[in-house]
Amino acid sequence: MNEIKSVAIIGAGALGLLFAEPIAQKLGEKCYFLADGSRYDRLKDGHFTINGKPEHFNVVSVDSLTDGRVEKPDFIIVAVKNYHLNDIIRLLDAAVSDGTIIISVLNGLDSETFLQDHCPRASVISSIAIGMDAVKEKRDLSFTGSGKLLIGSADNDKKNTALKRLSSFLDFCKIAYEVPDDIQRSLWWKLMINIGMNQVSAVTGSNYGIFHTDRNVQLLMESAMQETIDVAKAAGVDLRDDDIPNWYPTLNSLGADKKTSMLQDIESERKTEVQWFSGRLIEIADQYGIDVPVNRTLFQIIKTKELLYSQPGH
Ligand SMILES: NC(=O)C1=CN([C@@H]2O[C@H](COP(=O)(O)OP(=O)(O)OC[C@H]3O[C@@H](n4cnc5c(N)ncnc54)[C@H](OP(=O)(O)O)[C@@H]3O)[C@@H](O)[C@H]2O)C=CC1
Ligand SMILES: CC(C)(CO)C(=O)C(=O)O
């Protein structure tokens, strides 16, 4: 089985940095952030801090891959936001060769399909990132727990060659992961978490500490999650009512002062991923004639917040 010897990470944000640290410890310069244009110029010094400790990462320009100065990577981690995906096609075109393994740590149901459609030569392994509470401000990443990845092939074949190569690489880097029996359930389970946590934190401004203790915010989270379960059941996906109580131990392990990625986006007045959370749920719910009033309301509030801070002169 071919070992993974080089890794490109697209997106030097919270999750990109979280995974870069253990991989660069093993591969050194063969683990690099891939960027182009003014983003490459901004990042190329490679200096960041992780939990207060200075770290240096290799940053490679897409042109170095195109002209052969840097070999194409064996493995690509996509760690941008959903609304950035169209902008990274040029990077993927330059980086992908036959058999390149790609994972996306993006939340939402759709990034794997996007990547496989745009990179037919690659093996896209479905993945979700759970249990981390990464916060990035400027060049500084902080987190309490690094969480784990759930990975699987789209057809849940545990003997899939790319999945086996990826698993042994994650073992080598000591990155926690599991291969669930049903990756489709895992993707929907994560959607349920994002729908409950990210959206409710975004409209209420609650950090994880409030979610640990306040029953009102918990009830709002639970009602948004229950709608996700109802739609999943109609779509034939194995989400279960007890997925809600079973979420609390993980929720309680997240740092009380840390925040969801969507609340970080709202506070920094950035675009959010709401279109990929309640936006997507509403589309699927409509197909099955299911009403999701809590998610419609959350969607409308978050879109309004985005509109308000994108107004000229704000
Ligand atoms: N943060 C968390 O704890 C978790 C996040 N997720 C999911 O992971 C995904 C990433 O989230 P997160 O890491 O928080 O997001 P961040 O906003 O912290 O990072 C996204 C990064 O992508 C970079 N980027 C954007 N466009 C490009 C491009 N064309 N080329 C290269 N880099 C680009 C941005 O760079 P720049 O700043 O220069 O624009 C930014 O550094 C999201 O889907 C999120 O929902 C999943 C689990 C937990
Ligand atoms: C589950 C949660 C809330 C933290 O891991 C997340 O996925 C996010 O912040 O986007």
Side-chain angles (χ1 to χ4, degrees):
M1 191 167 50
N2 280 342
E3 275 174 50
I4 291 174
K5 296 195 177 117
S6 54
V7 178
I9 301 176
I10 304 181
L15 281 205
L17 283 164
L18 187 81
F19 289 107
E21 189 195 28
I23 298 176
Q25 268 177 22
K26 293 290 185 185
L27 299 186
E29 300 277 290
K30 297 240 170 180
C31 168
Y32 53 83
F33 286 107
L34 183 61
D36 63 354
S38 58
R39 184 175 283 103
Y40 170 72
D41 291 335
R42 226 182 327 116
L43 293 179
K44 67 184 173 196
D45 68 43
H47 294 299
F48 294 90
T49 73
I50 298 190
N51 283 334
K53 189 169 153 251
E55 297 281 352
H56 179 265
F57 296 106
N58 191 15
V59 181
V60 164
S61 144
V62 71
D63 301 329
S64 311
L65 288 181
T66 317
D67 64 22
R69 272 177 290 150
V70 174
E71 271 180 42
K72 292 180 191 282
D74 298 324
F75 173 35
I76 300 173
I77 300 178
V78 177
V80 296
K81 291 277 177 41
N82 276 284
Y83 48 81
H84 294 136
L85 278 177
N86 279 315
D87 301 337
I88 66 162
I89 293 173
R90 185 172 112 83
L91 275 61
L92 292 167
D93 285 346
V96 169
S97 52
D98 288 331
T100 309
I101 296 174
I102 305 183
I103 65 166
S104 140
V105 294
L106 276 66
N107 285 321
L109 297 176
D110 300 317
S111 60
E112 277 86 6
T113 309
F114 175 94
L115 291 167
Q116 194 66 77
D117 287 352
H118 283 87
C119 309
R121 300 163 74 194
S123 298
V124 177
I125 295 294
S126 300
S127 121
I128 61 159
I130 61 165
M132 53 277 294
D133 52 12
V135 175
K136 190 190 159 219
E137 280 162 39
K138 297 194 178 130
R139 292 292 191 102
D140 310 318
L141 172 73
S142 65
F143 61 90
T144 315
S146 50
K148 69 179 168 194
L149 289 172
L150 301 187
I151 54 172
S153 68
D155 60 359
N156 293 315
D157 175 9
K158 294 206 179 185
K159 296 200 173 106
N160 177 294
T161 310
L163 178 65
K164 283 171 50 186
R165 281 179 74 201
L166 176 59
S167 304
S168 54
F169 181 69
L170 296 175
D171 285 332
F172 170 64
C173 296
K174 299 194 166 44
I175 293 175
Y177 72 96
E178 278 173 29
V179 181
D181 292 334
D182 179 355
I183 193 73
Q184 202 59 19
R185 164 176 154 74
S186 302
L187 291 165
W188 270 84
W189 178 85
K190 186 68 196 290
L191 179 70
M192 175 195 83
I193 302 301
N194 293 134
I195 278 188
M197 292 295 302
N198 295 41
Q199 299 189 138
V200 172
S201 69
V203 300
T204 61
S206 302
N207 62 18
Y208 295 130
I210 306 288
F211 279 91
H212 294 164
T213 52
D214 183 71
R215 194 60 195 138
N216 283 314
V217 93
Q218 290 174 354
L219 286 171
L220 188 52
M221 172 194 84
E222 289 180 17
S223 52
M225 286 178 167
Q226 187 60 53
E227 289 182 353
T228 317
I229 294 173
D230 296 343
V231 175
K233 285 180 182 167
V237 176
D238 178 26
L239 277 197
R240 307 161 196 158
D241 294 340
D242 64 4
D243 285 325
I244 296 178
N246 290 343
W247 160 243
Y248 277 93
T250 308
L251 168 55
N252 291 333
S253 75
L254 301 174
D257 61 333
K258 298 282 189 299
K259 307 163 181 177
T260 67
S261 55
M262 188 180 269
L263 179 53
Q264 294 173 51
D265 288 339
I266 291 280
E267 289 181 346
S268 309
E269 304 198 341
R270 289 189 296 249
K271 191 171 160 61
T272 74
E273 294 183 298
V274 71
Q275 195 65 51
W276 289 268
F277 300 162
S278 51
R280 190 73 174 99
L281 188 78
I282 291 164
E283 276 174 20
I284 304 171
D286 283 348
Q287 287 167 21
Y288 292 97
I290 297 175
D291 197 13
V292 287
V294 176
N295 273 281
R296 275 188 199 282
T297 307
L298 292 170
F299 180 82
Q300 286 156 358
I301 296 173
I302 295 165
K303 288 308 267 184
T304 308
K305 279 182 180 272
E306 282 184 356
L307 175 77
L308 290 177
Y309 57 62
S310 65
Q311 296 284 304
H314 165 74

